[in-house]
Amino acid sequence: MSTPLSRPSYAAVLRVPHARRTFAAALVGRLSYGTVSLALMLSLTRSTGSYAVAGLVMALFGATSVFLSPYRASLVDRHGPRRALLPMALLYAVLLCVLAAVCRRPGTSEAVLAVTAAFAGACTPPLGPTMRAVWAQLLSDRALVQRAYSLDGVAEELLFVSGPLLVGGIVAVAPPVVGVLLSAVLVAVGTLAFVTSPATAVPRPAGREENTGPAPGADATGQVRALVQPVVVAAAVGVSVSAVDLLVVAFAGEHGLGDGAVAWVLAALSVGSAVGGLVNGAVAWGSPTRARLPFFAAGVGLCLAAAGLAPGLGTLVPAVMCAGLFVAPALTTAYLIADESAAPGFRVRAGAWCNTAVNAGMSVGAAAVGLLVERLPLPVCFAVSGAVAAAAALVPGHRRGGSARWAGPISRRRSRARRPSRGSRASRRRRPSRASGRP
């Protein structure tokens, strides 16, 4: 389904048949992830009157969503987007509606809230990894895939900025459970539109012989080694970026600044990430992805460490923006490497492992920096947070089934050499699937 395009650009990516419709549908569904956290937190707080209970329920919701992500992605690899995503999304939407209903009912047991939230998180559909899978199969030119992933990452960044703003507008005129219901509608409608697009027929379900993951032996070991670098870097960037939120709050308090200053600094981080993602996608890189990834990780770390030396808001804002310039490129490149490294029938899971690493890193970073701020000077806290990303730059890159990837650039040909074994007649009939976000 690839279209030969003479001039790779973001417009060229969206001119591919069915690309605009599929991407728009995925974004509608993924907007739910930008609205649900704040809406559910506000609903739980009003329902229980306890920040501790609300925090526990949200932790269960997030934990099941993050740590079961590779398993849910394996269902997409095994059965294809159409058969796996829609039941997940509908069940997730129903459970969100149940959560909204029990939050509206006074005196609801904390156990009921916790169990319902845990089950809802477990059903979160992996729209992000699946959309990247579709991009990778629709576009045969790796330069176009890079642009598509960059566009996808920037759009996701904007969703997580606009989602809370949308919830803020809702709670000004309605109860917060309306935001939870909106999240349910968004994910159901978006996923339905996504799976009915002709483009989602491209990442075909893996055959029975491909369902269990990597092949045994050396190939399995090589695939695991190939995923170590992108997964570690994604986790480290998640740790460093999540630490910025609390560090900026502490900086504002230490310098007598108001909450408005915090908003400006965090907005600068998001703007920097969006600009960096777009520039990264537009550049025709001559170096391989595995050589670029350490550079981006080190950039995040060094800029965050430098931000700790800022004497005031006027220098903190550009320092944090510079760190943001490397965030989206680092995550986009990690997703690209995961897609390049994965065997057929494993691509959605490979992307989901990076996705899980980012989210898990953010959770760990938020908890760890809270302990650091109470015990260490603020510049040291910035330096430690940046050191996590910088240390990840030292992780060597390896090709699947090969040695370290520093030897030279990747092949830009389509991955026809990764066909299943010729010993299977069914394998000969199928084309290999290409699948690779936060959910």
Side-chain angles (χ1 to χ4, degrees), residues 64 100 155-156 178 185-186 197 211 230 233 239 276 286-287 296 299 325 396 430:
T64 54
E156 186 173 68
V178 174
V185 172
L186 287 171
S197 168
N211 285 347
V233 170
V239 169
S287 57
F296 294 139
L325 290 173
R430 279 190 309 272

Side-chain angles (χ1 to χ4, degrees), residues 44 47-48 53 57 99 102-103 108-118:
L44 290 167
S47 174
T48 64
V53 173
V57 174
L99 264 177
V102 296
C103 284
T108 301
S109 165
E110 297 169 1
V112 171
L113 291 170
V115 171
T116 307

